[in-house]
Amino acid sequence: MPQPPEIRASLFVTCIVDQLYPQVGVSAVRVLRRLGVAVDFPADQTCCGQPLYNSGFTRPARQLAERVLHSFADSQYIVVPSGSCAAMLRVFYRDLFAGDPELERPARQLAERVYEFSEFLVKIVGVTDLGAVYPAAATYHSSCHLLRELAVRQEPAQLLEKVAGLGLAPLPQAETCCGFGGTFSVKYPHISEGMLADKIGNIQATGADTLVSCDMSCLMHIGGGLSRQGHPVAVRHIAQVLDGAPEGEAVNG
Amino acid sequence: MATPLPSPLGTPKDEFLAQVRRSLGRPAAAESTEPAEPYYRLTEDAAELERQGAAAQQRREQEQTGLVDRLAETAQLRGWQVFRAPNPEEAIGYVALLATAQGVTQAVRSAQEVFTGLPLDAALENLGIPTITVAQDETHSRAGLREQIIRSGLGLTGADYAVAETGSVVVMPRRGLSRLVSLVPPIHVALVRPQDVVASLDDLFLLRRLEYHRNGGDMGSYLNFITGPSRTADIEQQLVVGVHGPKEVHLILLG
Amino acid sequence: MAEVKTQEFVAASGAAMQNPTLRRALRQVGTGFNGARLEAIDEVGPQLWEEWREEAQRIKRHTIDHLDYYLEMLHDNVTKAGGQVHFARDAAEANGIVAELARTRQVKLATKSKSMVSEELDLNQALEGIGVEVFETDLGEYIIQLAGETPSHLVAPALHKTKEQVAELFNDQLGVPLTDDIEEMARTAREALRQKFLQADLGISGANFLVAETGTLVIITNEGNGRLCTSAPRLHIGITGMEKVIPSVQDLALFLRLLPRSATGQRLTSYVSMVSGPRRSDDEDGPEEFHLVLVDNGRSKLLADPDLRESLYCIRCGACLNICPVYQKIGGHAYGWVYPGPIGAIVSPTLVGLKQAKDLPQASSLCGACREACPVKINIPRMLLHLRHKLAESQDPEEKSTSAMDSLAARGYTWLMNNPSALTALGKLGRAAQQPLAGKGKIEKLPLPLVSQWTKTRDLPLLPQRTFREIWAQELGQAGSSIASPTSRDTESRDAGSGG
């Protein structure tokens, strides 16, 4: 039987995973490689530019975006362990370069190859059952960008449902923002905290001991609040759960 | 009648529209020209509109029984108290019973066709409930009739249309159909005949538009959809029935 | 024009967050109207609902792109129906038109049905200034008029008030006994306003839609006050923004399906009233005169900016407010002008001046819930980004308003992210610097600008021993390391995500 062609994925690890949660990137690589995906990591990648773009600084955001266009020009697929950063590459780059005679086309071509991690597993690799084991009572938080910019609604749940030992309680008001919003959380901390308090209340109501998400930025925010308030709820990126990385082995959430 | 203003107030129309055109990136001085890609609804010719109208009318006649059933269902959901009267006697009986039970001392009604041959006034008079037809003539002035409406506990109207989709009664105030009869008294009773019912908002507006073009461009001064009782949710988003309009609305389906 | 307090956003939203009564009043925002909206959409079915939204957006886009043409058509047809159209460039002119009409027609008493545009213009004050008594008749508007306040919601103006507050207000202003029965409060309003309706010389209404083809003003109401205002007085003035026009009377079928469902979850409101001119000579009743005042007041600025133009598609249903997690927290008044919530954060800065209202487009987490809720598919987050872009980088000094600190931070960040080696070096510095903080395995206080705001209520993770790029370079990227395990020095440390 002929072998199916190899799937090649370039990891856009995101600056938050690179700098703060490298273990998430490690888990993502391990999961992909176990599935036979050839993973590479363009070493000159940094930030997608979203913090600048969201603050209105489109000129510098474009500089960083150009860097991404260049670094990933030859990639077959670009896999991003973040719904938010994936949305930047796939959705907002098109706005950023709209009407640009040189870069509009590359931006559109990049957009077609960008996948959020869980979406990539289900849509491109075509798996939902990874044979992972992760004993925990979990609930799942969807990031707003994953949900509304990428319309990735089912894929994370499809993957998590197949994880042995993982209980998955539905999160009340699952589609409401946690209040992170990048600079929003530090420019308007009082509002952000109010939103976070609601989110934490809903997480607690599930009785979960683990909060899973596809975005470390939301998890940094929610986890930071949980930790400050002394709630014993661990936060995990979906890659860590699918990697079956048990609690003791986890690094930085 | 006050004298109309010789010319409008404020910014002259052409100047105002010039600003709009500038904002749209078009030459300010130009005339307002028809859109290059005209809107499909305003481009059909009269024959096409007639054809569509005839189709709607045909639907209306063919599906009448089904439409009446559907109206009864949706109207109830929207807060009408629905009564199906197989014959005029039962309709009159229902109104008489309602008026008595609610302690109505005077009623008003419009002068619509639906009341012709329906001895409703006499029935109510027999119960000691005077029923005034709101229609001006030599002896009934506008102001006098208005006073009668204000004093009445019950207002009766027909329906120019009833919409099965939404459970609405549509009235088009004009001669013989006061705006206030269905609005000011605390109880409104609408009498609907099978031929009044249309399937949908689409059909209703199509028929209205057809009529508008047929009669040389007059919509009539007013058209009202009535869909259940007066209500509000302005305090704590809690629904309360009966504010400025009728708290109680009854829809009698005739025949 | 209504008083502008958008500059006070930070203080006002802070105070709102601390106000327990407001908290209680806002409790239902996410569930009440919004819950009913979702149920109504569910009943329609998501696919059909989406088709409706698409169609509505197409109609609105077409009309707004040819606004001059449709305004002209509207003008001609209102005139043909016996009404008169007046165009107002700004608030002062609009108020002047209404005042002049009131004066020349000896108006002493006016009743008003709900109109956000009249709130924008502060029309009541203008009329009271010439001795006309004005009564708001929508229950919510009546409440806030009695309280001397402004609306906090597009659809439910008194949403910020609890029923206890309303009861006290009625007790205080109208002398009725205290009650906790909302139905009784509605009855009180009915009784208090009934005579006003019948005595009023002038009825003022807004408009939900204006039909160009037939010259018809459409209002969508529930209480019956709109019908009374447009039926009982001898004079009717409709006043509204110029963007409310739609081409054909047949378009109403679609908009009547979308608007009530989006606003309150109703399949249709109790009343839809369509006014085409004054009463005809043999009508039983109705106003002798009908005037339509069409207001620009800054809307042409929204029209002129291709990135903001679609905000004029708004049908003022309030769905974006109800679903907005920020609005749910702070309510409407904190936004500081007539139009609150996500759509207000687009419209207000343009109408009052971006520099006056620079917090509005920024005080959003860009979660996108508003766009998803919008029945005409207005891309609100994209317009918020556009306004942020103007604040940060506009060539126009009237628009640009960014702190030196923010500009510097943006430049520094860009430089850093363009120099991966500098990023690595900075990471090393950070790891050394965090040693004194590392005891608890998390950072509870970091006295850096902005970050200190974060650590007031949230912990931060410590920097890991190695960045991902270092792990990749040292292990993962090596041939044969396909399923590398992290080494012990990466796993030794803290678990920032766990509170236990």
Side-chain angles (χ1 to χ4, degrees), chain B residues 221-245:
Chain B
S221 66
Y222 209 51
L223 182 149
N224 237 300
F225 285 72
I226 302 169
T227 310
S230 154
R231 41 166 84 85
T232 185
D234 269 356
I235 302 176
E236 295 199 351
Q237 302 196 11
Q238 284 184 39
L239 184 70
V240 168
V241 167
V243 197
H244 301 296

Side-chain angles (χ1 to χ4, degrees), chain B residues 17-38:
Chain B
L17 294 181
Q19 174 61 46
V20 170
R21 274 189 284 274
R22 262 195 301 278
S23 301
L24 287 167
R26 286 206 278 276
E31 294 279 296
S32 293
T33 47
E34 206 170 317
E37 286 171 34

Side-chain angles (χ1 to χ4, degrees), chain B residues 7-251:
Chain B
S7 62
L9 304 166
T11 300
K13 182 189 75 175
D14 290 342
E15 205 178 301
F16 188 92
L17 294 181
Q19 174 61 46
V20 170
R21 274 189 284 274
R22 262 195 301 278
S23 301
L24 287 167
R26 286 206 278 276
E31 294 279 296
S32 293
T33 47
E34 206 170 317
E37 286 171 34
Y39 182 54
Y40 73 96
R41 275 208 175 108
L42 298 183
T43 53
E44 327 93 319
D45 57 17
E48 168 61 16
L49 203 56
E50 287 288 349
R51 197 195 55 74
Q52 289 180 20
Q57 191 58 39
Q58 200 180 10
R59 269 200 298 281
R60 194 176 172 185
E61 282 154 21
Q62 281 170 356
E63 298 166 18
Q64 204 172 74
T65 318
L67 290 180
V68 171
D69 290 345
R70 206 171 142 217
L71 172 69
E73 201 179 310
T74 48
Q76 192 139 22
L77 288 170
R78 303 289 91 86
W80 291 95
Q81 300 187 39
V82 178
F83 178 70
R84 300 190 75 150
N87 54 57
E89 291 72 34
E90 290 202 33
I92 292 168
Y94 181 85
V95 175
L97 197 65
L98 171 71
T100 320
Q102 298 293 345
V104 170
T105 54
Q106 177 179 302
V108 278
R109 71 162 175 87
S110 59
Q112 285 169 280
E113 200 187 79
V114 69
F115 295 104
T116 317
L118 198 70
L120 189 62
D121 299 4
L124 289 172
E125 302 274 351
N126 280 342
L127 294 166
I129 303 170
T131 303
I132 293 142
T133 303
V134 179
Q136 297 165 69
D137 54 29
E138 300 77 40
T139 52
H140 296 92
S141 69
R142 260 199 190 103
L145 287 167
R146 182 155 146 162
E147 282 309 309
Q148 299 296 353
I149 297 170
I150 294 164
R151 253 181 265 148
S152 294
L154 172 67
L156 293 140
T157 68
D160 291 310
Y161 300 92
V163 187
E165 175 192 347
T166 55
S168 309
V169 165
V170 176
V171 288
M172 301 192 297
R174 57 183 178 275
R175 183 184 180 86
L177 176 50
S178 150
R179 299 180 184 213
L180 301 180
V181 171
S182 58
L183 177 60
V184 169
I187 304 171
H188 172 215
V189 176
L191 288 94
V192 176
R193 302 163 302 178
Q195 66 265 35
D196 299 329
V197 186
V198 294
S200 62
L201 292 171
D202 300 298
D203 280 1
L204 176 91
F205 287 114
L206 171 63
L207 293 170
R208 284 307 304 142
R209 182 156 172 248
L210 183 62
E211 184 57 29
Y212 174 78
H213 288 292
R214 273 181 185 164
N215 71 16
D218 187 5
M219 277 295 279
S221 66
Y222 209 51
L223 182 149
N224 237 300
F225 285 72
I226 302 169
T227 310
S230 154
R231 41 166 84 85
T232 185
D234 269 356
I235 302 176
E236 295 199 351
Q237 302 196 11
Q238 284 184 39
L239 184 70
V240 168
V241 167
V243 197
H244 301 296
K247 184 174 181 144
E248 219 181 288
V249 293
H250 299 259
L251 195 150

Side-chain angles (χ1 to χ4, degrees), chain C residues 2 24 186 316:
Chain C
R24 219 167 48 243
R316 303 280 188 266

Side-chain angles (χ1 to χ4, degrees), chain B residues 1-5 7-11 13 15-17 19-21 23-24 26 32-42 44 49 78 134-136 142 145-146 150 165-166 168 173-180 182-184 186 200-202 205-206 209 212-213 216-227 229-238 240-247, chain C residues 28 32-33 55 59 62 64-66 68-72 75 77 80 84-89 93 97 100-101 105 137-140 143 156 159 162-163 166 182-183 185 190 193-194 197-198 213-214 222-223 225 227-228 230-232 242 247-253 256-257 266-276 278-289 296 300 303-304 309:
Chain B
M1 196 92 128
T3 18
L5 296 167
S7 62
L9 304 166
T11 300
K13 182 189 75 175
E15 205 178 301
F16 188 92
L17 294 181
Q19 174 61 46
V20 170
R21 274 189 284 274
S23 301
L24 287 167
R26 286 206 278 276
S32 293
T33 47
E34 206 170 317
E37 286 171 34
Y39 182 54
Y40 73 96
R41 275 208 175 108
L42 298 183
E44 327 93 319
L49 203 56
R78 303 289 91 86
V134 179
Q136 297 165 69
R142 260 199 190 103
L145 287 167
R146 182 155 146 162
I150 294 164
E165 175 192 347
T166 55
S168 309
R174 57 183 178 275
R175 183 184 180 86
L177 176 50
S178 150
R179 299 180 184 213
L180 301 180
S182 58
L183 177 60
V184 169
S200 62
L201 292 171
D202 300 298
F205 287 114
L206 171 63
R209 182 156 172 248
Y212 174 78
H213 288 292
D218 187 5
M219 277 295 279
S221 66
Y222 209 51
L223 182 149
N224 237 300
F225 285 72
I226 302 169
T227 310
S230 154
R231 41 166 84 85
T232 185
D234 269 356
I235 302 176
E236 295 199 351
Q237 302 196 11
Q238 284 184 39
V240 168
V241 167
V243 197
H244 301 296
K247 184 174 181 144
Chain C
Q28 281 101 351
F33 288 159
E55 172 75 359
I59 295 172
H62 171 84
I64 296 293
D65 283 349
H66 303 92
D68 56 332
Y69 175 74
Y70 287 108
L71 285 175
E72 185 113 49
H75 168 271
N77 289 317
K80 193 169 152 195
Q84 196 160 33
V85 182
H86 312 271
F87 293 94
R89 204 186 319 242
E93 194 169 66
I97 293 167
E100 178 65 6
L101 288 168
R105 277 134 183 83
T137 60
D138 170 82
L139 179 58
I143 290 166
L159 184 113
T162 62
K163 62 179 178 181
V166 176
I182 295 176
E183 212 169 314
M185 298 178 205
R190 177 187 172 101
L193 291 169
R194 182 48 63 109
F197 280 123
L198 299 169
E213 178 189 26
T214 56
N222 272 309
E223 295 178 8
N225 62 314
R227 289 177 69 191
L228 280 163
T230 55
S231 296
M242 63 180 184
S248 166
V249 75
Q250 282 188 270
D251 299 327
L252 282 173
L256 290 186
R257 289 181 181 124
Q266 287 177 281
R267 278 52 168 184
L268 192 59
T269 47
S270 296
Y271 309 118
V272 177
S273 306
M274 300 172 56
V275 176
S276 309
R279 78 163 178 237
R280 306 298 186 259
S281 58
D282 57 353
D283 282 7
E284 299 300 335
D285 37 30
E288 295 161 18
E289 283 184 67
D296 181 332
S300 51
L303 193 63
R309 188 179 288 178

Side-chain angles (χ1 to χ4, degrees), chain C residues 387-427:
Chain C
L387 291 175
R388 291 180 186 190
H389 165 62
K390 284 188 172 197
L391 283 166
E393 294 181 338
S394 177
Q395 306 294 324
D396 182 351
E398 286 303 304
E399 293 179 337
K400 185 168 174 175
S401 174
T402 186
S403 69
M405 186 57 192
D406 282 356
S407 297
L408 189 69
R411 278 209 301 277
Y413 185 82
T414 311
W415 180 83
L416 189 65
M417 289 299 170
N418 261 324
N419 291 278
S421 55
L423 188 61
T424 305
L426 188 73

